Amino acid sequence: MPDVLDASPYDALLLLSFGGPEGPDDVVPFLENVTRGRGIPKERLKEVGQHYFLFGGVSPINDQNRALLDALRKDFAEHGLDLPVYWGNRNWAPYLTDTLREMVRDGRRRILVLATSAYASYSGCRQYRENLADSLAALEAEGLELPRIDKLRHYFNHPGFVEPMVDGVVRSLAELPEEVRDGAHIAFCTHSIPTSAADTSGPVEEHGDGGAYVRQHLDVAQVIADAVRERTGVDHPWQLVYQSRSGAPHIPWLEPDICDHLEERRAAGVPAVVMAPIGFVSDHMEVLYDLDTEAAAKAEELGLPVRRSATVGADPRFAAAVRDLVLERSAAERGREVAPCALGALGASHNLCPVGCCPARAPRPAAAGADSPYA
């Protein structure tokens, strides 16, 4: 498109993420934020927080977001895209409401949001939209002029997100002992969610067994597996597996769990496994603990060689992909014809979440969608 550096009508980009503790004293208050309204006792939160205490009470997610923030600002500046980038979190400082207040006071009136979740699901999309609505309601109560907010589409199949993951899998395969390399299995890992949430993920027409959440992951896994075959000349078997389950035992969640999967693969005679965390933008706690600690310990117990491939993080190609998504959405808002960039069989995701997309169990207002009370 000829006006590739034109982000109008938008005047700012907001990086919206989950947040994480940055010291031992932060862990329980952070978990209280995450579980607010669920009535979980503080003693139980201290038990859950042991994962964080193993790493000094520090989640890597905030530093990962700082690195991504720097990468975005660097990429925008180098390409002449005049668009300031802000950062706000759901559960820890910098808090979303505080960041939006700052943006409003800086005169920002049309804001694009990049969420650090690439796929459709309640917790990965609609809940962030609910957070935005809550923050807008708080600013409205303060008498501030509200900005218009739009959310960038799901980017799970954008080349700038996929290609770094392909590189990561190829590197991890190369790190395996030569005698087991060609027979290695690829376990594409993502966050488990309740099956009821998976089945209702995405627009209503995509609801069903696994919904858009599972279909999107399977599509990306196939794209990566095909690219790995082209790069290595070996057709590695693969499967989509899950991790980080946190729900009550009686509620069905997506399976198989990565540790169970490693046991099954070992019993089937698989000589090695590459764990590829395609469901995560960065190496945050659920990657460092659930894969690098827990799953790695299970593999060692089994005598199974494993490698864990890198997440996308602040890869310059991902920063360039965000720039592409910003320009794509900006052009569409100006009424231009655009050709969205996407790999795989599913095509580009919707720009505007429709009514009924990734519904919550208890309906709540959500911004940046067709049902937004803040048009």
Side-chain angles (χ1 to χ4, degrees), residues 126 130 359-365:
R126 185 176 178 89
E130 292 176 353
R361 283 176 295 179
R364 292 178 53 199

Side-chain angles (χ1 to χ4, degrees), residues 29-108:
F30 162 73
L31 292 173
E32 287 175 333
N33 287 341
V34 173
T35 62
R36 193 172 305 283
R38 301 183 202 173
I40 299 177
K42 182 171 289 190
E43 290 307 311
R44 173 57 182 153
L45 295 180
K46 290 179 181 178
E47 293 176 16
V48 173
Q50 291 306 312
H51 295 181
Y52 292 94
F53 292 128
L54 287 174
F55 296 88
V58 179
S59 168
I61 192 169
N62 278 354
D63 278 345
Q64 292 278 342
N65 282 325
R66 291 184 184 101
L68 179 55
L69 198 66
D70 289 344
L72 292 173
R73 288 169 174 165
K74 181 174 183 288
D75 179 90
F76 289 7
E78 288 178 348
H79 291 85
L81 179 58
D82 184 16
L83 191 71
V85 187
Y86 296 74
W87 169 37
N89 288 325
R90 171 187 293 168
N91 295 304
W92 202 248
Y95 288 104
L96 172 59
T97 301
D98 295 336
T99 300
L100 278 179
R101 184 184 297 109
E102 176 189 0
M103 296 176 80
V104 168
R105 288 174 175 168
D106 286 349
R108 312 305 176 191

Side-chain angles (χ1 to χ4, degrees), residues 158-161 163-165 167 171 312 314-322:
H158 193 287
F161 185 68
E163 289 166 2
M165 294 191 290
D167 287 352
R171 281 195 301 269
V312 174
D315 190 290
R317 289 168 291 182
F318 182 44
V322 174

Side-chain angles (χ1 to χ4, degrees), residues 119 156 161-167 169-170 186 188 217-230 238 276 278:
Y119 301 86
F156 62 92
F161 185 68
V162 175
E163 289 166 2
M165 294 191 290
V166 173
D167 287 352
V169 173
V170 171
I186 304 172
F188 291 109
H217 280 87
L218 288 172
D219 197 50
V220 170
Q222 186 66 65
V223 169
I224 296 172
D226 290 346
V228 169
R229 183 183 65 248
E230 292 174 7
W238 62 270
I278 63 172

Side-chain angles (χ1 to χ4, degrees), residues 25-302:
D25 292 342
D26 296 343
V27 173
V28 171
F30 162 73
L31 292 173
E32 287 175 333
N33 287 341
V34 173
T35 62
R36 193 172 305 283
R38 301 183 202 173
I40 299 177
K42 182 171 289 190
E43 290 307 311
R44 173 57 182 153
L45 295 180
K46 290 179 181 178
E47 293 176 16
V48 173
Q50 291 306 312
H51 295 181
Y52 292 94
F53 292 128
L54 287 174
F55 296 88
V58 179
S59 168
I61 192 169
N62 278 354
D63 278 345
Q64 292 278 342
N65 282 325
R66 291 184 184 101
L68 179 55
L69 198 66
D70 289 344
L72 292 173
R73 288 169 174 165
K74 181 174 183 288
D75 179 90
F76 289 7
E78 288 178 348
H79 291 85
L81 179 58
D82 184 16
L83 191 71
V85 187
Y86 296 74
W87 169 37
N89 288 325
R90 171 187 293 168
N91 295 304
W92 202 248
Y95 288 104
L96 172 59
T97 301
D98 295 336
T99 300
L100 278 179
R101 184 184 297 109
E102 176 189 0
M103 296 176 80
V104 168
R105 288 174 175 168
D106 286 349
R108 312 305 176 191
R109 294 294 176 261
R110 289 293 302 271
I111 297 170
L112 266 176
V113 173
L114 168 69
T116 55
S117 177
Y119 301 86
S121 70
Y122 169 73
S123 58
C125 184
R126 185 176 178 89
Q127 190 173 10
Y128 281 118
R129 294 177 48 227
E130 292 176 353
N131 298 148
L132 287 165
D134 290 343
S135 293
L136 289 171
L139 299 188
E140 187 174 40
E142 295 173 13
L144 295 176
E145 181 180 354
L146 299 187
R148 174 172 166 179
I149 295 179
D150 293 320
K151 181 177 174 291
L152 289 172
R153 66 176 173 89
H154 301 301
Y155 46 84
F156 62 92
N157 55 4
H158 193 287
F161 185 68
V162 175
E163 289 166 2
M165 294 191 290
V166 173
D167 287 352
V169 173
V170 171
R171 281 195 301 269
S172 293
L173 287 167
E175 292 169 0
L176 286 168
E178 187 174 359
E179 64 271 18
V180 300
R181 188 178 303 150
D182 287 353
H185 170 88
I186 304 172
F188 291 109
C189 307
T190 191
H191 205 301
S192 184
I193 60 175
T195 56
S196 57
D199 294 346
T200 56
S201 58
V204 172
E205 62 271 18
E206 296 182 32
H207 292 179
D209 188 16
Y213 185 75
V214 172
R215 280 193 287 277
Q216 290 171 359
H217 280 87
L218 288 172
D219 197 50
V220 170
Q222 186 66 65
V223 169
I224 296 172
D226 290 346
V228 169
R229 183 183 65 248
E230 292 174 7
R231 293 263 296 272
T232 66
V234 179
D235 191 7
H236 291 274
W238 62 270
Q239 186 172 338
L240 178 64
V241 302
Y242 303 92
Q243 62 177 88
S244 312
R245 176 189 169 126
S246 59
H250 68 281
I251 298 175
W253 282 52
L254 292 173
E255 297 178 337
D257 175 78
I258 178 60
C259 289
D260 295 338
H261 183 66
L262 293 176
E263 289 185 343
E264 293 165 359
R265 292 301 87 203
R266 190 53 161 168
V270 167
V273 172
V274 167
M275 301 182 293
I278 63 172
F280 305 90
V281 172
S282 65
D283 287 6
H284 55 64
M285 185 57 68
E286 287 165 322
V287 175
L288 294 187
Y289 182 80
D290 296 331
L291 294 183
D292 294 354
T293 305
E294 192 172 51
K298 172 58 69 174
E300 183 176 7
E301 173 191 320
L302 297 168

